[in-house]
Amino acid sequence: MYLFLANIDFTAVDWPQAAARLHPMLLHLPIGLIVALALLEFPRLFRRSEPEHDRSRTLLVLLLAITTPLSAATGWLLHEGADYGSPIEWHERLGIGLAALSIAVAVAYWKRSENYTLGVLASFLLLLPTAHFGATLTHGSDFLTEPWEAAFSEVVVATPEESTNESPLLAEEEPVTGVDNALIPSEGNALVAIEVEKEELATAPVSVEQISYEDIAPILSEYCTKCHGERKRKARLALNTLEAILAGGEHGEVLVPGDPSASKLFTYLQEPLDTDEHMPPSEKPQPPAFAMEQIEQWILKVTADQLPTVPVSTGILAPSEERSTRTRGSRGSWRGSDDPLRTGLDFQRSPTFVPFALDPDLSIADLVTAYEGNLKRLDGPLSSAAGQATPELPITTDFFATSADPVSVATLRQHRVHVESIGENTPLLWLDFTAASLDGAQLTELLAPLASVIGELTLFGQNPNARDMTLIGMMPNLAHLDLRELDLTSQPNRSLSLRPLQGSTSISSLNLSSTEIGEGGPYSLALLPNLKRAHVWGSHISEPNLAFLARERPDLVLVGASPEPGQPLDVEPEVTFLKPVGDPMAETPENATCPVTSDPVDPAFTVLFEGRTIGFCCPNCPKPFQEDPQKYLAILDAQ
Amino acid sequence: MQNTPLDPLAERKLLLNRRHFFGLSAGAFGSLLGRASLGSLLAGEAARGATLGQPALGPHFPAKAKRVIYMHMEGGPSQLDLFDYKPGLRNRYDQDLPESIRNGQRLTGMTSGQARFPVAPSMFRFSRYPNSQDGAWVSEAMPHTGGVARDLCIIRSMHTEAINHEPAITFFQTGVQQPGRPSFGSWASYGLGSANENLPAFVVLISQGFGNTQALSERFWGSGFLDGQHQGCKIRSGDSPVLYLNNPDGITRPTRRRMLDLVGALNEKEAARTHDPEVATRIAQYEMAYRMQMSVPELTDFSGESEETLAMYGPEVRKPGTFAANCLLARRLAERGVRFVQLYMRGWDAHNNLPKELRDQAGAVDQPQAALIRDLSRRGLLDDTIVLWSGEFGRTVYSQGTLTETNYGRDHHPRAFTSWVAGGGFKPGIVFGETDDFGYNIIRDPVSVHDLHATMLNQLGFDHTRLTHRSQGRDFRLTDVGGRVMHELLI
């Protein structure tokens, strides 16, 4: 126990909230006390008598004066820490009023004033609305009337008094018991109606293509919005509108477009029924399988551009200021679910926007330079290159996303592209197309959505065209580009043009082994300012061009040929052994008796030691001798 | 792009359910949380479809190396006859190993009864080959290897705990002498997954040697308590490189496809019902085997290799199963994204007749291993491939059995031996560590097996203390409780 306490970091506790959360428990004390006092004092309304001041009353009043302000204070703290919709306002005012009244009752009691009895009864009357609003907060406003709804809508039965007669106080304390089925003759009909509704949902499955928010809204309203709706927002989460769903709750976002497994809206339905995470709670009606499937399909299909915009990131990016503030603003929040970029509004950007490095410290001047470089690259040399038209980039190119878009990653994986995170503290990815089967998909379309988060790209054996290469050249964070053994059968001259890569400031290493590059290739290489290392074995660079590169880019390490084996610097002369004088086996031992056992020496077992040949009686004796030669030498010398 | 309709069944596989998630070790779990931005990405990893039931964790930090080729010289090659040049011993031929050197250290039962421990100097001539320092001395048994000394980081100060083959190989492969832990390759597969969905992440290639051969247990490449998919996949020479991969006679590929579709549909039903990730793994493994039916024959077909390349590996390269063929196969595996290729060369256990056995063994590995280094280097793959060459231990300076000028044997020696590493961010062209005049004890810069493992994991992007898996209530790691990243060995 001591250890357990020692492990708690008390400084990290949010004490106001810790106290505030006692409110729902504390508040029942004043309720009980007020009701008890009211029952005690009630008869005095009819039978005038002196107020009694016995010990039990004193205790009750004392407790009342303590617990009511305490409940009000914790309630106030609770409200400070969270947002609870409209009923809270009245609940709070009345609660504070009740606290004040309780203190007044105590004072009156202490002064033995006549007003004490009135105060108690006033407290009781004030308690009713206070408790009512409080209960509305936790159970919803239709909690009492809900079981009656069907009855009233289907058949007109029962008198209104029946519901109002019920004391709100009692109802809140014991909400479910005592519902008499006989009072609700139409319940059967209501059930049928609900069944029919479900039937319609089930038999009219919406096709995956067509599914939209309108299709899942009825499911959410049937199973979710009673607790997560306009009136009641448990966990500060509402699911009654698309905007509210996107806003998420106090535990973060619940919807990740395209990724059900990351969307709590879906995963909480899938949790085991007996866990706290499972929604709806186990005692509540559970949605049928088809409903869950529809939600899953909707999440899968819903894409960022179909969602309403969130103000933070609306609009096409204006020049560099916004970009720079945004990178600064989102620093360190790659992982944050509150990252506005996660809403995915970046997908509709025009391709001509300047890629920016994810480094938030990049200056505006750097961005502008890169931007201008881009424009040149798009409009300038490329359009005239070999009579090719300027390749069109897909409009979905996203040079600004600061995290990988899961749908795009999933799509790549479907094409068996290896997608690997480069490290824990970076959003960058390594994409390896070695085992990819594109099945007609275009490289550019696959790469574009992730353009800003590709740090390393392996296209071993693939067949990138000029458009793909242009996109690759514009990737702002691509450091390692592997173009080994490309399939160049469809390329002009069966060689790869590196021209689209020109001007890339991010590429630092390039592997072109066994990929033939065009005539201008070396010049393009020279125009990659940050290129440190290039493998050009089998890429057919002519000698003069290699010389040109060596001259222009002395900092660039070119690995051009298979390394020639190193030739020996020195060779040892003939191996000769300097042998000890004589053969120990042939030498006659100097002693006649074994120093260990004192038995006669067998010349087969001898040891050379410091120039002396020592004989032993058996193969085991040299061992003790080796362990302590001095001891046995002394024995020998004694002989 | 975002509007691409996805196959809902395939997407179902993306489910990362809770059991699955918490099944990871605490360390791994922490690292997952640490990369919350990639939460959805990892969900993808979870059902990578092809190979992974457990999610690959991905590197902790940007990796210098993407893959490992580990050439294990089974039996323990003699460092004194290959890399640890001790010319001074030539003057001590047949003298007894001084007690001050052996210092009562344990010996194997094979020589502990020997009457004397006569020093056996190497009868191999050494040459000094250029490297980044003042040259590396390599014996005449490995001239090609000497020729690539510029790329090698030769560690002369390796030491291990075990003195016999089985525990020593187990220790080198798994970090513990006792059987049961996952192999290095399994840890790599567990941490990184396969970069090629058509091939396993961890492949084992075995070549028979010419010398005294010891048993090579399958468990050396077993996955221990890690998921079975992380165990090494042995690729054999001959008609059936992967056992049970080929369709039996009479079963055509379309028939197989139809069978897999049906089984797959049933398994999908089960997966939808239970959300058990193991079912998804099973589906993925079937599909991978189906793709391997195509990818493995392509892999083992050398007809696309140029004559020049084949010549570089030497004449034996055309004979499947030889070390030369396996070196070329290792390069082909490496360039196709296989994470961990484990080559075994058997037969280095030269207790007797060492000069002849070592000459044969070295003759078989020298040219191919040097060719592999050069081939990787020119293709730009050596930069991010760690090539490790090591036995499980070294051999003694004293002769086991009769010592003559032309023949001797050497016993197991765990206290000092030589391994070398090339590529993957290890310093090229250096000789590291030093042994005493007898090559018996390390006198400078010792490197333990755990240190080497920790350093290699570091290059693969892992903090070796955080690449863990929880089993039987505690977290296990490759380096057990030891290991230091030897930054001295790294660029």
Side-chain angles (χ1 to χ4, degrees), chain A residues 160-172:
Chain A
E161 287 84 48
E162 265 173 312
S163 57
T164 49
N165 275 353
E166 208 173 347
S167 156
L169 184 66
L170 287 174
E172 275 150 18

Side-chain angles (χ1 to χ4, degrees), chain A residues 23-24 27-28 31 71 75 78 84-96 98 126-144 168-169 171-173 231-234:
Chain A
H23 177 73
L27 65 91
H28 292 95
I31 292 175
S71 300
L78 199 59
Y84 285 94
S86 56
I88 185 81
E89 298 300 335
W90 275 106
H91 178 63
E92 187 171 30
R93 282 172 211 157
L94 292 172
I96 292 170
L98 195 57
L126 190 55
L127 174 66
L128 298 180
T130 313
H132 174 75
F133 285 119
T136 307
L137 282 176
T138 54
H139 294 279
S141 60
D142 53 353
F143 188 74
L144 284 174
L169 184 66
E172 275 150 18
E173 296 297 85
R231 283 184 295 219
K232 192 154 50 146
R233 295 173 56 209
K234 284 203 167 181

